[in-house]
Amino acid sequence: FFTADAVQLTSGAVDAGLPRTASTGSNAAVVYSEDSSGRQVVRMSRADLAGTTQGTTTISTGTSGDAQHPDVAWNGTEFGVTWDDSRDGTQEIYFARVDTDGLLIGSELRLTNNSGDSQYPRVAWNPVDSEWGITWQDSRNGNDDIYFARVDDVGAKAGSDVLVSGESSSLVMTSKSRA
């Protein structure tokens, strides 16, 4: 896929980690958590197939707490980025759309607002329904459960959170959705 040797995408001056990568076919986007003024922020760095860096953008816009555990996916025209963020006192899940130049499209979307922690999100694009699917670990019921939410193609939450695992799981899998 990439023809270049290893490329350093971070400054090296501070700790960075938890990288996740998505490819457009002609370049890659890497999201990661990085120290910034004593807290963690989520950044996206981009590089082309030859390894030439295309720039870095700070995705999380909160001014307090830590933003971490990012994930990224590509839908053919833009990136979807999700992460957990403690800016409001508990870990909550956020989502943002980012264009190929690394610019935010619209504003961040807070997906969860619960008393328990919501962490470790993953994002995927559903081309059939033109929407993002996001899963995460959530302790709102006192135990760690897995939840799922949909975000439409313009970045708005579509419907309610769906409990995927746990005693009252409401997810029904069809043979088509397991393929």
Side-chain angles (χ1 to χ4, degrees), residues 37-109:
S37 302
R39 63 187 198 89
Q40 293 282 303
V41 298
V42 170
R43 300 197 199 282
M44 174 190 274
S45 293
R46 298 167 338 281
D48 65 19
L49 296 178
T52 304
T53 57
Q54 304 295 313
T56 298
T57 303
T58 300
I59 303 298
S60 55
T61 62
T63 58
S64 64
D66 288 321
Q68 48 195 349
H69 308 115
D71 194 29
V72 61
W74 172 250
N75 74 358
T77 59
E78 64 191 40
F79 296 98
V81 179
T82 188
W83 67 96
D84 59 66
D85 198 311
S86 65
R87 69 179 79 171
D88 296 315
T90 60
Q91 292 294 123
E92 301 295 347
I93 304 300
Y94 283 79
F95 173 82
R97 296 164 49 229
V98 183
D99 71 16
T100 56
D101 293 323
L103 302 173
L104 288 175
I105 302 169
S107 39
E108 299 172 335
L109 171 65

Side-chain angles (χ1 to χ4, degrees), residues 103-165:
L103 302 173
L104 288 175
I105 302 169
S107 39
E108 299 172 335
L109 171 65
R110 182 176 174 173
L111 286 174
T112 59
N113 189 9
N114 305 301
S115 59
D117 286 333
S118 303
Q119 300 175 293
Y120 314 114
R122 294 293 176 250
V123 62
W125 174 250
N126 173 354
V128 174
D129 296 321
S130 295
E131 63 186 11
W132 301 98
I134 299 160
T135 59
W136 66 93
Q137 176 183 300
D138 196 301
S139 64
R140 72 179 78 173
N141 296 324
N143 297 313
D144 287 334
D145 295 315
I146 305 300
Y147 278 82
F148 171 82
R150 296 171 17 249
V151 175
D152 67 22
D153 61 343
V154 295
K157 190 169 181 179
S160 301
D161 299 347
V162 176
L163 177 61
V164 175
S165 72

Side-chain angles (χ1 to χ4, degrees), residues 29-41:
V30 179
V31 293
Y32 51 92
S33 295
E34 185 172 64
D35 286 340
S36 176
S37 302
R39 63 187 198 89
Q40 293 282 303
V41 298

